[in-house]
Amino acid sequence: GNRYALADGAAGAECACIGVFSLSPGVVDTAMQEHIRESDEAKFSNVQRFREYKEQGELASPEEVGRKIVWFLNHTDDFQEVMVSVRDM
């Protein structure tokens, strides 16, 4: 998790040959997201929030997230922070 990445990232700072990151993909538009949006509010109180993500275009496609992750892996030297969000790329 993030604690490991933060601790190991700090330790790895002494050796430039190791890079440790905590990469967050954000909310991705998957079949699971579709299933969540179809949930009954009585059974899942936060369902409206997930419906709004879709309505407001806040969900990233799996392909978009994948492209950004590949780009990130090829440009890790550009990042100083241990915790990185795909949404910020």
Side-chain angles (χ1 to χ4, degrees), residues 43-86:
K43 294 181 180 177
F44 183 57
S45 61
N46 289 326
V47 70
Q48 188 57 37
R49 178 172 43 145
F50 288 89
R51 290 175 183 157
E52 289 171 2
Y53 287 154
K54 180 69 170 181
E55 292 166 3
Q56 297 172 5
E58 294 183 33
L59 299 176
S61 72
E63 295 81 12
E64 177 186 3
V65 171
R67 280 191 299 274
K68 288 182 176 183
I69 290 172
V70 169
W71 180 88
F72 169 79
L73 292 172
N74 288 300
H75 295 89
T76 56
D77 290 344
D78 297 343
F79 292 84
Q80 302 302 314
E81 297 294 322
V82 172
M83 296 175 62
V84 179
S85 173
V86 170

Side-chain angles (χ1 to χ4, degrees), residues 8-21 76-80:
D8 198 49
E14 297 172 13
C15 176
C17 60
I18 298 172
V20 177
F21 296 93
T76 56
D77 290 344
D78 297 343
F79 292 84
Q80 302 302 314

